[in-house]
């Protein structure tokens, strides 16, 4: 099957527990939103992976371009002070 | 009829319906119209096999002669199976498969909803568990009927044909004999007549959304519940019984 006679592509996000962030788990092809949701349920939650599903049309996702990666991400390389590892934390503050 | 005898038969009927349809769907494993739907149909098949196992096991326990789920599945002959003819019907095209699934799932949705409150604990627990699965099977098949009916010209006439063919098979689901009457009067199972109009209205709602014209009324299916099957059944049983019949009691 060539790409152009497939149903539209959808990205699937699963929330494993209420309150936790949705995680991208993969994608699928489906004719429309309802069937994408059903297919996502069948493909990605059959082993109790989740309690809630998002499906998003792949076309609707705005992604950064690999060509931009130097200007986007390299400038952070020498700014390790942004990782808050230089502060002395009080003993009482655990799990930070 | 003795209540236990009726209960055994009733459990086997529900188990047989689920097993034969589960088998039909399993035939589509790796042959689905596309990957996602292939997995969806196989999932439904597995749900049905799960229901089969519960019903066969329960029947064996009530019978008390040591027969297991495997004995019921693999060691009975065609006339001993009491599934409705609906579930034996071939997969045909995808429209046929979904039309068959819709009729089956909508019926069982209503049955399980009522059977949940059976005074028999086993039946009530079975119905409560199966209702969740069946609700999903119903949603899945109904949504497909809508999309096929309201899809292209070709998908529309194909699913119209499929519904014309399968619709007459619903009658058997509502048949009642001594087994049903015994259990209804004992308050163990619901009378299917109480939800027949709700069943038909639910299907009609889907057909309206699917822009399907009136479905043809033909003959009334009958016979499955007394072991009189269509020709298809004779081709189904050898396939899944061949291994246990060739190598009886083998372990792996």
């Amino acid at each position: 099957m060539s790409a152009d006679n497939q149903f539209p592509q959808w990205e699937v996000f699963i929330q494993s527990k209420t309150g936790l962030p949705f995680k991208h788990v993969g994608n699928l092809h489906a004719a429309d939103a309802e069937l994408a949701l059903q297919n996502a349920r069948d493909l990605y939650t059959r082993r109790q992976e989740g309690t809630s599903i998002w499906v998003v049309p792949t076309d609707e996702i705005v992604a950064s371009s690999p060509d931009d990666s130097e200007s986007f991400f390299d400038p952070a390389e020498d700014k390790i002070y942004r990782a808050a590892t230089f502060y002395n934390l009080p003993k009482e503050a655990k799990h930070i | 009829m003795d209540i236990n005898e009726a209960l055994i038969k009733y459990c086997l009927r529900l188990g047989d319906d689920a097993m034969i349809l589960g088998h039909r769907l399993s035939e589509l494993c790796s042959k689905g119209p596309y990957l996602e739907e292939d997995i969806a149909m196989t999932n439904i098949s597995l749900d049905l096999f799960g229901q089969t196992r519960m019903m066969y096991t329960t029947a064996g326990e009530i019978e008390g002669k040591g027969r297991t789920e495997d004995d019921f599945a693999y060691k009975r002959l065609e006339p001993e199976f009491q599934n409705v003819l609906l579930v034996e019907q071939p997969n045909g095209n995808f429209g046929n498969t979904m039309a068959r699934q819709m009729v089956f799932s909508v019926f069982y949705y209503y049955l399980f909803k009522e059977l949940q409150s059976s005074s028999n604990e086993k039946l009530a627990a079975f119905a409560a568990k199966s209702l969740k699965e069946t609700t999903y099977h119903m949603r899945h098949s109904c949504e497909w009927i809508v999309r096929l009916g309201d899809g292209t010209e070709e998908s529309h006439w194909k699913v119209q044909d499929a519904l014309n063919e399968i619709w007459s098979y619903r009658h058997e689901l509502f048949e009642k004999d001594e087994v049903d009457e015994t259990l209804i009067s004992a308050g163990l199972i619901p009378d299917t007549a109480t939800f027949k109009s709700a069943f038909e209205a639910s299907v009609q709602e889907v057909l309206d959304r699917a822009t399907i014209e009136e479905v043809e009324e033909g003959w009334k299916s009958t016979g499955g519940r007394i072991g009189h099957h269509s020709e298809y059944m004779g081709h189904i049983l050898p396939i899944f019984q061949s291994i246990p019949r060739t190598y009886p009691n083998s372990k792996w």
Side-chain angles (χ1 to χ4, degrees), chain B residues 57 145 147 159 167 222 231:
Chain B
T57 305
I145 296 296
R147 279 155 184 78
V159 79
W167 191 227
T222 188
E231 183 189 342

Side-chain angles (χ1 to χ4, degrees), chain B residues 41-247:
Chain B
M41 290 190 291
T42 314
N43 270 349
I44 296 175
S45 173
L46 287 172
D47 285 346
L48 292 170
F49 286 141
Q51 295 176 13
T52 306
R53 298 186 61 187
M54 278 177 85
M55 281 295 91
Y56 283 176
T57 305
T58 305
E61 284 168 8
I62 301 170
E63 189 186 52
K65 290 180 185 164
R67 280 210 280 183
T68 66
E69 50 184 322
D70 285 350
D71 293 325
F72 290 118
Y74 299 127
K75 294 183 181 170
R76 282 183 304 157
L77 299 169
E78 183 179 325
E80 295 171 272
F81 281 88
Q82 301 197 338
N83 53 280
V84 289
L85 305 185
L86 171 75
V87 295
E88 305 164 12
Q89 300 312 302
N91 293 323
N93 62 38
F94 185 64
N96 294 117
T97 303
M98 284 301 120
R100 185 187 60 198
Q101 192 66 45
M102 174 182 72
V103 173
F104 182 86
S105 303
V106 175
F107 172 82
Y108 269 100
Y109 168 79
Y110 283 106
L111 179 71
F112 289 149
K113 248 174 87 167
E114 299 298 321
L115 192 60
Q116 280 187 108
S117 41
S118 168
S119 55
N120 179 292
E121 269 178 40
K122 280 266 164 76
L123 280 180
F126 164 74
K129 177 180 181 288
S130 304
L131 177 63
K132 293 180 192 170
E133 296 167 344
T134 302
T135 304
Y136 183 75
H137 306 164
M138 177 170 76
R139 175 172 172 174
H140 187 77
S141 51
C142 290
E143 290 300 325
W144 265 117
I145 296 296
V146 170
R147 279 155 184 78
L148 296 172
D150 196 17
T152 64
E153 201 183 316
E154 186 186 354
S155 71
H156 179 87
W157 70 254
K158 278 189 172 169
V159 79
Q160 174 84 52
D161 275 3
L163 289 157
N164 289 345
E165 268 178 47
I166 213 73
W167 191 227
S168 298
Y169 286 94
R170 77 189 183 286
H171 294 291
E172 245 182 315
L173 294 165
F174 291 94
E175 272 181 358
K176 273 176 281 184
D177 65 3
E178 210 189 337
V179 172
D180 304 274
E181 303 292 357
T182 306
L183 298 176
I184 291 169
S185 51
L188 295 178
I189 66 166
D191 184 341
T192 52
T194 57
F195 58 78
K196 189 163 193 227
S197 55
F199 160 85
E200 304 219 332
S202 289
V203 173
Q204 191 55 51
E205 202 187 308
V206 176
L207 300 187
D208 289 344
R209 282 176 65 208
T211 70
I212 295 289
E213 297 145 41
E214 205 176 326
V215 174
E216 283 172 25
E217 268 297 343
W219 62 300
K220 288 186 175 185
S221 71
T222 188
R225 295 293 190 219
I226 52 168
H228 294 173
H229 293 284
S230 62
E231 183 189 342
Y232 301 117
M233 190 68 175
H235 295 268
I236 291 173
L237 291 182
I239 291 172
F240 70 73
Q241 291 188 339
S242 64
I243 298 289
R245 286 196 185 279
T246 312
Y247 305 101

